[in-house]
Structures are given as C-alpha cells and as structure tokens.
Amino acid sequence: MAAPVPVRLTHLDDAGAARMVDVSAKTPTVRTAGAQALVTCSPQVVTALREGTIPKGDVLAVARIAGIAAAKRVPELLPLAHVIGVHGCRVDLEVVEGGVRIEATVRTVDRTGVEMEALTAATVAGLAVVDMVKGVDRDVALAHAQVTAKSGGRSGDWVRGGHDH
C-alpha cells in the first residue's frame, strides 16, 4: 500500500504557521463563484413569508441586502482573505417547502477567486432570515451552506454535482 500523499494547505507555510498567500504575480482574470444556503423553518413561518406577514417586515429584501453587504466585507471577517473588488453580487431568495433557499453569485476581475465572498453572502443572508423570524420560530436554523460553482483562474471551472450554475 502506498503512503498517503500529504495535503498541502496554501494558507500554511512550511513550518505550519498561518500566512496570507502572495497573489501579486497572478494576472487578474474574470472569476465567478456561486454558493447556496438553506434556512429551515416551521410551516407557519413559510406561510407568513409567502404572505408577507412577518412582524419585522420584508424578510427577503433585508436578507438580500445583508448578503450583498457581507460579500464586500469578507477580508474583515476572514483574516487570511485577500481584499478584492467585488464587481457583482446577486443574492436570490426563494420561499420553498420547509424554509428559504438562498443562492448567491459573486463576480470579480482580480487575482484570486470569490468563493468565500459567495459563501459569506449566502450565509449572512441566511442569518438575516433567522434573525427576522426567530421571534416566531425558535427552531429556525441555517443549514446546508456550500460553494456550488466557481469559474476562472488557474484551476478553471468547477460545479458541485447536482448543480447547474
């Protein structure tokens, strides 16, 4: 049996210390990433979301703006993330059976990808939904957050199985 190949994490130096990856030699290219999250909630909250009767107001509009704002703040939240230009951010929310499905897409022309920006947009939009409905549904939960697709850069395009970004 062959020895396992060690995993090399780009955010660790040879001594295992955290570092920010130097991307200064890379050429800026168009990069896009998609992410999704799901907020699960009670049937009563799903009905209230569809009818627009949540006491705090327009949940989906607030969550959309929260997600877009969050995508632009990733370097403040993740200490090894690069400061990049978020040139486009779309956050779509859909009330579905059992909750709210969130899809975020982020675009840039830069030296590194926007997967973390897309994932942050989706999850913070989800947190905004949780914040607005927790008073009427204590079991509300943010679940299934994941990057669904990315394009551009050295590693090219990738789509998570079962998604069609």
Side-chain angles (χ1 to χ4, degrees), residues 50-164:
R50 287 189 172 131
E51 294 173 354
T53 58
I54 296 291
K56 288 188 176 181
D58 189 340
V59 173
L60 304 185
V62 170
R64 183 175 301 108
I65 296 302
I68 292 168
K72 298 186 290 183
R73 301 189 76 142
V74 167
E76 295 173 39
L77 302 169
L78 302 175
L80 302 179
H82 293 89
V83 176
I84 61 172
V86 172
H87 298 122
C89 182
R90 181 176 176 151
V91 177
D92 295 313
L93 296 99
E94 179 184 8
V95 179
V96 296
E97 187 69 29
V100 179
R101 181 177 37 242
I102 303 156
E103 300 276 343
T105 305
V106 178
R107 290 179 51 91
T108 190
V109 177
D110 219 313
R111 291 175 170 86
T112 190
V114 285
E115 295 92 342
M116 295 312 300
E117 286 75 7
L119 190 57
T120 301
T123 55
V124 170
L127 290 173
V129 172
V130 169
D131 181 47
M132 293 189 72
V133 305
K134 70 184 184 312
V136 292
D137 182 0
R138 295 287 180 202
D139 289 329
V140 65
L142 176 61
H144 308 293
Q146 60 189 1
V147 174
T148 56
K150 59 104 26 206
S151 66
R154 180 183 43 82
S155 62
D157 297 351
W158 171 84
V159 176
R160 181 175 297 279
H163 293 275
D164 59 353

